[in-house]
Amino acid sequence: MLSLEINGLEMRYPGLAAPVLAIDRLQVPAGTRLCITGASGSGKSTFVNAITGLERIRHGSVSWNGTDLTRLSAGGRDAFRARHIGLVMQDFHLFPGLSAFENVVLPVRLARRLTSTEAQRARFLLDVTGIARPQQRIETLSRGEMQRVAVARALLLKPGVIVADEPTASLDSQAGEQVSELLVRLSREERATLIVVTHDPALAARLDRHIRLVAGAIVEDKEGVQAP
Amino acid sequence: MIRFILADLRRFGGGALSVVILIALSVALSVAVTLQERAVRLGSARAAEKFDLLVGAPGSETQLALSAVFLQPAPLPLMSGKVLAKLAADPRVALAAPVGFGDSSFGFPIVGTTTALISALSPQLADGLPFSRLADAVVGADVPLKTGAEVKPMHGSVETGGETHTQIIYRVVGRMAPTRTAWDRAILVPIRAVWGLHGMAGAEAHAHEGETHGDEEPGHAHGQGDEHPAGSEPAGEHGLPAHPEAHGPQDDDEADEHGHVHGHVDADAPLDEHFDAQTPGVPAVLVKPKTIADAYRLRQEYRSETTLAVFPAEVLTRLYATLGDARSLLLAIAVGTQGIVIAAILLVATMHIGARKRQIGALRALGAPMRAVVILVWGELFVLFLAGIGLGGLIGLVTAQLISARLTAATAVHLPVEFAQEDWRLAIGFVVAAAVVSLVPALGALRLSPAAALRS
Ligand SMILES: Nc1ncnc2c1ncn2[C@@H]1O[C@H](COP(=O)(O)OP(=O)(O)OP(=O)(O)O)[C@@H](O)[C@H]1O
Ligand SMILES: [Mg+2]
């Protein structure tokens, strides 16, 4: 499980006077189930990009269990993310032409040989996420099933943290409910910190710490289960 | 990885296929040009090998060489028979064989010559015997006539409205082994039969010892491609005159009732391959000198006012230079095409990558290392290039073989389509260029941060 520590983080884009995201100090202990909310354009995705190393950080620092992402090269951040962060995105980013199973193991296969333990775990995760036929071609799955495959993929290497950016936004309420339940349950079972950006009250209600962003700044940080 | 590349290529099947075809066609063009040029060069060089030195009447060297080596119907002036006699007696000459063109049968050229040339072309006959009577014929390997078949000579060819000679019907007595030259399509007959048929004085030279003939002044002739309608052919139209009146009044006593004069040909007359000063004119004499030094000396000697001496190989080399220019031009066009194709591919690849930035960003976001992304993008393009190059090489090879086969069918000259060492260098060059070019979009794909790539 990973803990997050942010200090003096500022994300700016060229042509914008004010930073899109400015977080002076934030600590997320390992095992926290954190919910980030905020209006559109408030900097939620920018926050995700910063803490997962998808975007380079120029001001401040972001550390996971003491590993400072700002000290890593782009390749180093990619490697760190691959090893420690399970990412779930609004658009599932699954690859057509491959089966559900192949999609789950694709990131590993692109890096190296898949071990039999990993193959077994992939099948286990697909089973846990309720995908009955792992060999089914991904484009023939329902949207809810697709996002569940994406969750299985995020968990393959037992990441210390699961980061999800609007995981239910493109699903209907029932499928969204299943994915929400899965994320919370698996993060607990797999002993991973969970950070979720969402507008979905049902999902937010399952999480135990809520941060609200306005114009890139934290305006609210509450512990305890509650609707935003 | 391979599965992912293939799954990806399947998704863009149509585009991938057109890229492959584009590359294949441009590669095929250069392969075909290279192979074909080499085939013509090697094939004709081998065809000319058997003809060391050619002596003929002054005129075009190229025409002389092409007519003798490729039996190409063409106007050749006649040279005095004395030259043949002199060459035959020359101690530096291993073989001096007259070559008389002008007639054809079933579209195959009839060539008047001697048994010595037959032995030189085909030391071992495939079938039968060399000729021993005036009306005997030996056919080349590609002439579909059996031993015993009749050959009615026609002056000129059917296309030019040739007229069939009636005084003689040759009988096939032998067949040469394949020589892979144009002579595989020839019907060889005794030169004296040709002379006799064309009423050229000297056919019965030994019966008219000491008589002088007008044929020592070169009779001018036109090619078989001549447009004269049948019946109005001017005298001496072909390599050998059709009607001896062209040679003047000394032949008048042999005129038939049509006013035409034809030579008497005694089909059963024994072969006479002895030539002397009274020997009639011939368009060309094939000479095999005993040594290389003799060859050069002979060529020097027979380059004079009245004769022309050429090494066919040398004439062909000069022709290849021209051919080489054409090849350079075609290759330049091919290379230009390749440049355009590569530019088109880069454009397609760049657009393709643009459309796939999200996919590439996602792969990196999900933990695929940069190296994998580069190999992926590079690999996909490179696979297309390789398929195109392979397919293009195949198309080029088949094209060259088809062209060679058609040319061989028409000329009997075997044109070998074969790869050479330098081709492998070229192929490796293509592959390396493809590998480098494929790298461009691959590296481009890494410029963006994964977040930026995902946003696009
Ligand atoms: N590459 C960029 N260049 C310039 N501005 C950017 C860039 N990326 C994001 N922004 C701006 O940064 C701000 C925050 O964007 P971000 O994507 O983090 O918002 P968000 O909270 O995720 O919104 P949403 O709920 O709509 O996803 C927005 O105003 C956006 O216009
Ligand atoms: Mg967002």
Side-chain angles (χ1 to χ4, degrees), chain B residues 111-113 131 133-137 170 188-194 271:
Chain B
V111 184
T113 184
F131 33 73
R133 303 175 318 141
L134 214 49
D136 286 349
Y170 297 109
L188 281 65
V189 300
I191 182 80
R192 282 196 193 280
V194 175
L271 213 54

Side-chain angles (χ1 to χ4, degrees), chain A residues 39-41 43-46 48 90 165-166 197 199:
Chain A
S40 183
K44 304 184 296 294
S45 293
T46 306
V48 166
Q90 177 178 344
D165 191 356
E166 318 242 20
V197 169
H199 289 295

Side-chain angles (χ1 to χ4, degrees), chain B residues 233-390:
Chain B
E233 46 184 326
E237 187 180 345
H238 301 287
L240 290 170
H243 303 299
E245 64 261 45
H247 288 271
Q250 79 271 17
D251 286 326
D252 274 354
D253 55 337
E254 290 177 341
D256 61 21
E257 62 266 29
H258 304 297
H260 284 189
V261 181
H262 292 291
H264 301 298
V265 184
D266 176 3
D268 288 321
L271 213 54
D272 172 11
E273 295 190 338
H274 172 78
F275 306 108
D276 57 26
Q278 273 66 52
T279 299
V282 286
V285 176
L286 251 162
V287 178
K288 258 192 201 308
K290 284 189 176 137
T291 67
I292 292 178
D294 292 339
Y296 281 94
R297 242 174 268 130
L298 284 165
R299 184 180 66 155
Q300 199 54 42
E301 270 169 43
Y302 284 86
R303 273 185 166 170
S304 66
E305 293 278 291
T306 52
T307 55
L308 180 71
V310 298
F311 294 137
E314 202 177 85
V315 173
L316 288 176
T317 308
R318 232 177 298 136
L319 282 179
Y320 302 147
T322 325
L323 198 64
D325 289 346
R327 185 187 84 122
S328 306
L329 181 69
L330 276 174
L331 273 186
I333 292 171
V335 167
T337 328
Q338 271 152 23
I340 294 168
V341 166
I342 288 177
I345 288 163
L346 274 181
L347 181 78
V348 170
T350 313
M351 277 163 38
H352 181 60
I353 297 300
R356 294 182 54 195
K357 265 190 212 151
R358 270 172 71 81
Q359 190 196 22
I360 289 165
L363 279 176
R364 285 186 61 193
L366 293 170
M370 285 192 196
R371 146 181 68 84
V373 173
V374 171
I375 291 176
L376 202 73
V377 176
W378 175 84
E380 277 190 31
L381 257 184
F382 191 57
V383 162
L384 294 186
F385 267 117
L386 278 190
I389 292 172

Side-chain angles (χ1 to χ4, degrees), chain A:
Chain A
M1 270 199 277
L2 291 179
S3 63
L4 173 66
E5 179 168 346
I6 294 177
N7 281 301
L9 176 66
E10 255 188 40
M11 300 294 280
R12 290 173 183 272
Y13 286 113
L16 295 179
V20 170
L21 185 69
I23 297 175
D24 192 38
R25 185 170 168 78
L26 176 68
Q27 276 190 310
V28 182
T32 306
R33 272 165 287 279
L34 172 66
C35 174
I36 315 265
T37 56
S40 183
S42 57
K44 304 184 296 294
S45 293
T46 306
F47 175 79
V48 166
N49 291 342
I51 64 170
T52 55
L54 286 170
E55 198 85 87
R56 207 183 130 198
I57 298 159
R58 289 164 207 274
H59 300 281
S61 72
V62 171
S63 308
W64 290 100
N65 276 12
T67 304
D68 189 350
L69 288 187
T70 54
R71 297 244 175 92
L72 299 178
S73 65
R77 292 199 304 271
D78 283 357
F80 180 86
R81 185 172 54 250
R83 181 64 203 86
H84 300 286
I85 302 176
L87 201 57
V88 178
M89 289 166 281
Q90 177 178 344
D91 307 322
F92 324 123
H93 291 295
L94 295 162
F95 297 90
L98 302 179
S99 70
F101 175 81
E102 284 170 325
N103 263 284
V104 171
V105 298
L106 180 66
V108 174
R109 269 201 183 149
L110 286 179
R112 57 185 164 80
R113 276 183 76 90
L114 188 71
T115 67
S116 59
T117 322
E118 283 160 350
Q120 227 171 337
R121 178 164 165 82
R123 274 188 289 273
F124 162 75
L125 285 170
L126 282 169
D127 185 47
V128 168
T129 51
I131 305 300
R133 285 172 294 151
Q135 298 311 325
Q136 192 179 347
R137 288 266 287 238
I138 200 72
E139 59 268 37
T140 62
L141 267 60
S142 76
R143 296 184 65 78
E145 287 169 328
M146 286 187 191
Q147 190 63 304
R148 278 164 16 220
V149 171
V151 170
R153 177 178 60 190
L155 286 168
L156 181 65
L157 293 180
K158 302 188 196 250
V161 60
I162 300 168
V163 179
D165 191 356
E166 318 242 20
T168 59
S170 62
L171 303 178
D172 62 40
S173 61
Q174 199 200 336
E177 193 65 26
Q178 284 178 339
V179 169
S180 304
E181 190 271 336
L182 208 58
L183 277 172
V184 174
R185 175 160 59 89
L186 286 178
S187 68
R188 190 172 286 127
E189 284 174 9
E190 298 285 331
R191 302 178 44 74
T193 307
L194 178 64
I195 298 179
V196 180
V197 169
T198 189
H199 289 295
D200 178 1
L203 175 52
R206 294 172 183 274
L207 306 172
D208 43 41
R209 180 175 169 188
H210 297 86
I211 287 178
R212 196 151 69 87
L213 291 180
V214 172
I218 296 175
V219 294
E220 203 175 80
D221 187 347
K222 286 187 190 159
E223 299 282 336
V225 175
Q226 63 169 107

